[in-house]
Structure formats: C-alpha cells, structure tokens
Amino acid sequence: MKEPTGRIYDIQRFSVHDGPGIRTEIFLSGCPLSCLWCHSPESQHYEPKIAWFEIRCIGAEVCGQCITACPQQAVALGKRKTSPVDNKEIQLVQIDRERCDDCGLCAEACPAKALCLTTKEITLAEVMEIIERDRPYYEKSGGGVTISGGEPMVQYEFTLELLKACKEAELHTCLDTTGFAKFELYWQVMPFVDLFLYDLKHMDTKRSQKLTGVPNELILENARKLAAAGAKLQIRIPVIPRLNDTEENLRATAVFCRELGAAVQLVQILPYHSLGAVKYERIGKTYKLVNVKAPDEGRMKEIKEFLEGFNLKVKIH
Ligand code: SF4
Ligand code: SF4
C-alpha cells in the first residue's frame, strides 16, 4: 500500500498559541478561503507556487542562474537596489507571472535559496518522526500536535491518517479549521480530534463572502453539528479593525458561541497584524489591507471584556 503523503508549506515546533501547551504544528497546503487579512497567502494554494525572496538574491551580474534555467523565459532583469552589506548596486531579477508555470527549475538553479517552491510533499512517517522529537515537551506542558493550514480538510485523507497516527502514539491533537468543509468529513475525523480550533470570522454571510471569499452558512452549521455531536471547540476570532470588530458582529458571535453551549471551551481573540504582507509580493500577489492598523492592547482588552459579558471564557492570542 502506498504510504500516505501530504503537501505542507511549513512545520513549526515549540508553538504555544495554537492549542494547549507546547505543540508541533503541521501546516497543510490548500484553502477554499481567501481572507483579506490572511498572513500566509502561500497556504491558499495546494499546488506549489514559486516564491522570490528579494533579500536573499545576490544579483544577476554575479549570478543570473534563474534566467538561464527558466524554460519559459519568465525571469528577466528587474529593479536595482543598493546592498545593505557593502553599499554596492545589485541588479535584481523579476518573474513574469503570466509566463511562469511554477515548474521550480529556477529554484533548483538558485545558489542563494532566493527562489523556492511554496509547498512540498512529505510522507506520514516523515511527519511523525519530526513530531516524536518533542514528545518530552508535550508531556511536560500538556501539549501535542496541531494540524493547521490552509484548511487541513482540503487534504482530508492525509489529515485523517495523521490524526490517527497521533492518537495511536497517544498524543493530544488539535485541528485548526475554517469550518468550511462537508460535515461528513468532520464526522470521520472527530474521534481523533481532542480539540477543534474553530474560526468564526463574520456572522453576516454577505460580509463573510466579501472578506473571506465564502459565505458562512456551512461554517455555522458545522459548528452546531460538531457541538451537538460532543466535540470540544476553541473558537477563534481574528480581530480586524472596522471589518469584523463592530459591536453588532461581536455580539452576534458571542450569542452564537453561547448557543453552542458547553462544547465551547474557550474563545480566543487574535489581533490583526500585517506581518504577512511581504509574503504576497513574494508570490506575485497584492496585499489589499494596507491601511488597516493592528488593534492596540486597550482595544483587545475591551473586546475581551465585552465577550466575557456573555459568560464566555476569553483569552487574547
Ligand atoms: S518556476 Fe519555472 S517557469 Fe517559473 S520562473 Fe521558475 S523556471 Fe521559470
Ligand atoms: S538564481 Fe537566485 S540569487 Fe541568482 S539571480 Fe536568480 S534569484 Fe538571484
């Protein structure tokens, strides 16, 4: 039988914000949503995309390997910049995204790792070997494994196998999900998930469509069904100033969480940040929320207290 294989864009060890204790977080590629504030735009694509890290490029005059390696003639000379190391001018390259088919040959040729593909295949055994390295930390901290994305249910079969393997290894599991997948799939993974990290981004379906690219009916329905079936949920609300932090939306979210009853263990509010903006440029996309500022500590405390007013247990981050 073929070994289960998935596509990941990252693995983070010693993660402390995505579930209890110290965790290893597996980030799977592919997502049906395209949230305007997404800080991992590379995660939205299941297929690999070529990413270019300007800071690592040593310049076409001394290198230029990518230009000759590209069979599509998609790499050309781009802007010039002054090197922060010796103040010399560097001739950078640029990728014509219309021509590029993300074959990755330029990344293979690049000596500086300035070009790389955004996703790679990994076997279940390889992931489990990495997970096992930190077992003593999980045991001491009450941590475990978090499967995240993207949306892990895009790779439902691999997610299921990974969850099963973690439970066989007696590890605590979290599934970080947008809620946007068929309920039948959640039903299959449920016995192997200790805690769902469940995103609620907007309670108004038209706003949801506009901000995330999908309506919210399925997301809300799945949350109700999971709660009714006995799953444990940690609700996650990204706080995006002016886009989803109105009193009306926060109230509707809180009322919904109360409706889910004892299934909701915790509500986690996550302040918007723009640290992912630079990643858009790397893969030839445009970041649209340039004028949105991160909420300050005072605002986050205000939201926390507001939600606590609905008898919810709330934490920031
Ligand atoms: S990924 Fe392939 S097509 Fe795209 S720039 Fe690199 S070599 Fe050219
Ligand atoms: S191969 Fe890499 S380091 Fe060389 S010019 Fe291209 S991007 Fe820059």
Side-chain angles (χ1 to χ4, degrees):
M1 202 177 94
K2 192 178 174 282
E3 162 132 51
T5 302
R7 274 204 189 156
I8 60 161
Y9 69 94
D10 202 6
I11 292 183
Q12 270 175 26
R13 295 164 68 193
F14 305 106
S15 168
V16 289
H17 292 303
D18 297 321
I22 295 172
R23 315 191 69 81
T24 293
E25 201 159 359
I26 316 297
F27 293 92
L28 300 183
S29 301
C31 187
L33 279 65
S34 47
C35 306
L36 292 179
W37 52 86
C38 179
H39 48 73
S40 303
E42 72 279 26
S43 74
Q44 293 171 5
H45 305 273
Y46 174 73
E47 299 294 340
K49 292 197 78 65
I50 197 77
W52 179 63
F53 295 73
E54 175 182 321
I55 196 157
R56 296 183 196 156
C57 178
I58 54 176
E61 281 117 338
V62 289
C63 174
Q65 295 293 320
C66 49
I67 299 176
T68 37
C70 178
Q72 307 293 340
Q73 284 86 47
V75 191
L77 300 181
K79 62 185 179 185
R80 299 182 74 83
K81 78 163 188 185
T82 307
S83 163
V85 182
D86 56 10
N87 275 339
K88 281 191 184 151
E89 280 246 312
I90 299 181
Q91 172 64 63
L92 296 170
V93 293
Q94 65 181 17
I95 298 169
D96 180 343
R97 299 277 168 181
E98 296 287 311
R99 284 173 172 259
C100 172
D101 63 4
D102 299 295
C103 70
L105 290 174
C106 56
E108 280 173 28
C110 178
K113 297 207 178 338
L115 287 156
C116 38
L117 289 172
T118 51
T119 172
K120 67 167 187 179
E121 291 211 332
I122 192 161
T123 65
L124 181 61
E126 286 166 335
V127 182
M128 290 309 294
E129 188 274 319
I130 295 168
I131 286 170
E132 283 292 349
R133 288 180 203 167
D134 296 325
R135 181 180 281 275
Y137 296 100
Y138 314 144
E139 283 169 1
K140 275 201 187 105
S141 68
V145 178
T146 297
I147 305 178
S148 185
E151 167 50 62
M153 298 307 251
V154 167
Q155 297 188 54
Y156 155 74
E157 280 160 13
F158 185 66
T159 295
L160 179 61
E161 292 305 322
L162 185 49
L163 284 165
K164 279 185 185 168
C166 288
K167 290 320 293 175
E168 266 164 36
E170 297 185 354
L171 295 167
H172 181 273
T173 57
C174 286
L175 184 72
D176 181 11
T177 182
T178 62
F180 196 78
K182 285 185 190 154
F183 184 72
E184 292 82 338
L185 303 186
Y186 287 111
W187 183 251
Q188 298 299 324
V189 298
M190 217 179 84
F192 311 101
V193 178
D194 292 309
L195 181 65
F196 286 87
L197 308 180
Y198 202 96
D199 295 353
L200 290 180
K201 290 162 178 167
H202 211 293
M203 295 304 290
D204 179 273
T205 193
K206 284 194 182 130
R207 292 292 289 155
S208 172
Q209 177 81 55
K210 213 164 180 178
L211 299 173
T212 72
V214 300
N216 69 9
E217 287 87 354
L218 179 65
I219 296 166
L220 302 184
E221 194 51 32
N222 281 338
R224 284 191 193 101
K225 285 181 177 169
L226 281 170
K232 288 184 180 153
L233 306 177
Q234 181 167 316
I235 299 295
R236 313 231 287 178
I237 309 169
V239 175
I240 322 294
R242 300 197 317 275
L243 299 186
N244 75 344
D245 71 339
T246 60
E247 188 175 326
E248 187 191 6
N249 189 51
L250 291 171
R251 183 182 301 281
T253 311
V255 169
F256 182 74
C257 290
R258 291 288 299 157
E259 194 192 308
L260 297 177
V264 176
Q265 313 280 297
L266 181 66
V267 175
Q268 192 178 9
I269 48 175
L270 305 160
Y272 165 79
H273 64 76
S274 58
L275 298 177
V278 64
K279 297 184 188 172
Y280 283 73
E281 218 176 301
R282 281 181 199 150
I283 56 169
K285 287 183 152 185
T286 307
Y287 188 63
K288 298 199 179 106
L289 295 192
V290 276
N291 294 321
V292 176
K293 296 226 162 38
D296 61 24
E297 221 181 293
R299 176 65 181 140
M300 292 304 292
K301 275 193 188 150
E302 202 176 272
I303 294 174
K304 180 174 183 279
E305 281 164 20
F306 180 80
L307 296 172
E308 283 169 343
F310 291 81
N311 279 332
L312 293 164
K313 191 175 162 205
V314 185
K315 86 163 191 169
I316 302 172
H317 281 296

